[in-house]
Amino acid sequence: MRGVLFDGKQSQVVDDLDVRDPGPGEVLVAVAAAGLCHSDLSVIDGTIPFPVPVVLGHEGAGVVEAVGAGVAHVAPGDHVALSTLANCGACAECDRGRPTMCRRAIGMPGRPFARGGEPVHQFASNSAFAERTVVKAVQAVKIPDDVPLTSAALIGCGVLTGVGAVLNRARVDIGESVVVIGTGGIGLNVIQGARIAGASVIVAVDTNQAKEPLARQFGATHFLSSADGVRGILPTGADHAFECVGHPGLVRAAVDLLDRHGQAVLLGMTAPTVEASFLPAALFLDKSILGCRYGSSRPQRDIPRYCELYRTGALLLDELVTRTYPVEDFATAVDDLHEGRVARGVLTF
């Protein structure tokens, strides 16, 4: 079968991958669509260290083909969105409703794929850039059949991370002010999460002025090409600032833009050794810097919620899909993402 493989030196579309049958507590999914995210590129450029060879992709949706023993919540033929959380469901963190913190799921890549008889790693317990993938049952979340799979694919990372950061981690309240630095796929979902939460002022910041119409469509009340202008809109600062780029200078900017009791939420992925600086005195008025993994999400709860918000028109999904590409055009999709030509490009199989 086809898939996108990274061997440590180059990424390429191959057609000779194999995937094993699902075991107990696992689901085999025929992937219909998968979003291309900066995290996939971060594996290629080394920002995210990962063992190779590996099948990339972590934001996908498809149709269940088979289930292993003990799986009852999905069945062959069901449409599913895939999460990256292969959480165990039984540890203390899972029991507290914090599956993103499950210690049995982080840093333990499986190898359900093979190529030429040699095992191949799975990225983010998901590997959505393959015609078929095997995931833990908890990662396959049933969705309504009327949600297009090309749009549903984006729920599994961009929406869970961006909207979840607003609703689950920052808990933005009605009437509060929000600054979003970076309006790519994650930033746009932060913006619409803030709109759904009822924020009164949502300032989008991006150096690419061409992104303004889409940012406003998703809910931005203001658009700036530099964070330097935020104080002209929010003289006392913002209640919440979300850094969605992964640049240390912008981390500092997010902290500096906070009002009293403000929160800076860090979503952009920096290299593991990159350091950011800020003035500790700037935090004395009950300000906070928050990390956020995967939107502090609970996918089996959140994905159905987001599907319902989509069906009512409150959550925009179709509008996130700038362009679809057959998987063979992976290199073109990467180039478009690098150049900022797409909010999200989606690979199809």
Side-chain angles (χ1 to χ4, degrees), residues 16-302:
D16 56 352
L17 287 173
D18 296 307
V19 65
R20 63 171 173 78
D21 293 332
E26 294 181 333
V27 178
L28 174 67
V29 177
V31 179
L36 178 60
C37 173
H38 278 287
S39 293
D40 300 302
L41 304 188
S42 293
V43 174
I44 296 172
D45 68 21
T47 301
I48 297 178
F50 207 87
V52 293
V54 57
V55 177
L56 298 175
H58 64 285
E59 184 182 66
V63 180
V64 175
E65 281 203 350
V67 300
V71 178
H73 73 291
V74 293
D78 285 345
H79 287 200
V80 293
L82 301 178
S83 88
T84 69
L85 294 183
N87 56 293
C88 72
C91 68
E93 297 294 350
C94 287
D95 194 49
R96 294 188 183 104
R98 299 194 297 226
T100 57
M101 296 295 107
C102 177
R103 295 182 188 275
R104 299 182 186 180
I106 301 173
M108 300 179 184
R111 295 194 292 180
F113 301 101
R115 186 183 187 212
E118 296 298 320
V120 176
H121 288 94
Q122 185 175 41
F123 178 52
S125 302
N126 188 308
S127 289
F129 293 168
E131 289 186 81
R132 291 172 181 80
T133 189
V134 171
V135 297
K136 290 185 67 172
V138 72
Q139 296 176 255
V141 184
K142 186 175 179 179
I143 60 174
D145 290 354
D146 59 359
V147 179
L149 291 173
T150 50
S151 299
L154 304 185
I155 299 176
C157 177
V159 175
L160 281 176
T161 299
V163 178
V166 174
L167 302 183
N168 300 328
R169 186 67 168 126
R171 299 184 183 272
V172 173
D173 205 354
I174 295 172
E176 291 188 321
S177 59
V178 172
V179 174
V180 183
I181 303 175
T183 61
I186 299 299
L188 287 173
N189 280 298
V190 172
I191 289 170
Q192 71 171 334
R195 170 178 52 77
I196 291 168
S200 59
V201 178
I202 305 171
V203 183
V205 180
D206 200 297
T207 56
N208 186 348
Q209 198 70 37
K211 293 184 177 182
E212 179 174 1
L214 198 57
R216 289 189 179 275
Q217 181 181 5
F218 274 69
T221 59
H222 301 76
F223 187 95
L224 300 172
S225 59
S226 170
D228 295 339
V230 171
R231 290 283 180 173
I233 300 166
L234 299 169
T236 62
D239 295 309
H240 308 273
F242 294 82
E243 200 282 340
C244 305
V245 179
H247 187 283
L250 296 178
V251 171
R252 169 64 180 267
V255 174
D256 290 345
L257 289 172
L258 296 177
D259 196 357
R260 299 179 181 188
H261 299 279
Q263 298 180 134
V265 183
L266 309 185
L267 296 176
M269 177 64 69
T270 62
T273 58
V274 168
E275 297 182 358
S277 63
F278 61 91
L279 300 175
L283 302 182
F284 288 165
L285 295 175
D286 287 356
K287 301 177 187 181
S288 304
I289 300 174
L290 305 180
C292 183
R293 181 171 189 259
Y294 206 45
S296 301
S297 297
R298 296 163 65 182
Q300 290 287 346
R301 177 200 68 173
D302 292 343

Side-chain angles (χ1 to χ4, degrees), residues 325-344:
Y325 309 79
V327 68
E328 289 80 8
D329 289 346
F330 174 72
T332 302
V334 169
D335 186 60
D336 285 347
L337 180 58
H338 270 309
E339 297 301 321
R341 289 189 283 261
V342 294
R344 260 304 194 261

